[in-house]
Amino acid sequence: MNILKAGLIALWRIWFFILMGLPIIVMLPFLLVFSSSEKFYSQYFYCTRIWAKSILYGMGFIPKKLNAANLIKGKSYMFVANHTSIIDIMMMLAVIDHPFIFVGKKELTKIPLFGFFYKRTCIVVDRGNQQSKLRVFKECQRRLNQGNSICIFPEGGVPEDKARELVAFKDGAFRLAIDHQIPIVPITFHDNKRRFSYTFFSGSPGIMRAKVHEIIPTVNRRQEEKRELKKEVYDVILNELRNPSL
């Protein structure tokens, strides 16, 4: 990589973090009010979608969605997707207009401005703390009992092996979905790793494809079937990564 190209990518990457803060500053009064109480969450979610799209388009990313799921307003879902980039958060908000609550890693709370609202509105997990995992599970149950939807990246984080298409899913999302008998909506992000990976001197603007798959019901499924359900969702996402339909 030549010096000029490396310099342009570095400026583009720095611009990303500036973009993360600018919409928050503009919408700050609304975000403070809407994040102050769970009863305002739908309004807060609307603001986060504006924030996400501002970042995507500001970075030169063009979301392209193929939607096979007919989501019903007021119904709870478990949204699950492959995880390869911090841009997955923005893409999820851009392609899903049905309000949901993120379950995400504690490390993101350290990002200025973003981290404040992330901690205030998302369900934060410390992956190295078993008590934190139990607390997160109980908090997910509480929010699902309120009629909310949940979004989990079931790989448990961005895979350390960058060559892997998809690593094994953890149980949490599927256990919750069965417990609460809520449908699962698998989502495949095709281009996020190529367009904006965690490798600093990499990436480029362009189309970001996302496939929202058909809803997988969990009614009458038992915890004994959790592994089968997990494999079913895993196979849907992996097959789409290998054989894109858009």
Side-chain angles (χ1 to χ4, degrees), residues 17-76:
F17 289 102
I18 294 172
L19 270 177
M20 284 187 72
L22 282 177
I24 295 176
I25 293 170
V26 171
M27 296 188 291
L28 189 59
F30 300 100
L31 292 172
L32 286 170
V33 171
F34 294 149
S35 66
S36 66
S37 173
E38 292 176 1
K39 66 182 180 181
F40 297 134
Y41 189 78
S42 60
Q43 290 87 349
Y44 174 81
F45 183 80
Y46 177 78
C47 290
T48 62
R49 297 197 75 222
I50 295 173
W51 169 81
K53 290 181 180 180
S54 298
I55 294 170
L56 290 171
Y57 287 108
M59 289 295 290
F61 298 135
I62 304 169
K64 181 180 179 182
K65 178 178 73 170
L66 179 60
N67 188 8
N70 182 23
L71 303 180
I72 300 171
K73 185 176 180 180
K75 187 175 179 62
S76 295

Side-chain angles (χ1 to χ4, degrees), residues 77-126:
Y77 298 93
M78 178 64 70
F79 297 104
V80 298
N82 58 313
H83 194 23
T84 58
S85 167
I86 192 173
I87 211 74
D88 297 343
I89 295 172
M90 296 77 179
M91 277 294 288
M92 184 70 75
L93 288 164
V95 302
I96 300 294
D97 60 6
H98 191 94
F100 61 82
I101 297 164
F102 271 116
V103 176
K105 59 185 180 181
K106 178 184 177 182
E107 290 82 353
L108 294 180
T109 63
K110 298 176 183 178
I111 299 175
L113 280 179
F114 168 82
F116 172 79
F117 290 102
Y118 176 83
K119 185 176 182 180
R120 196 172 165 103
T121 58
C122 298
I123 300 173
V124 179
V125 59
D126 181 351

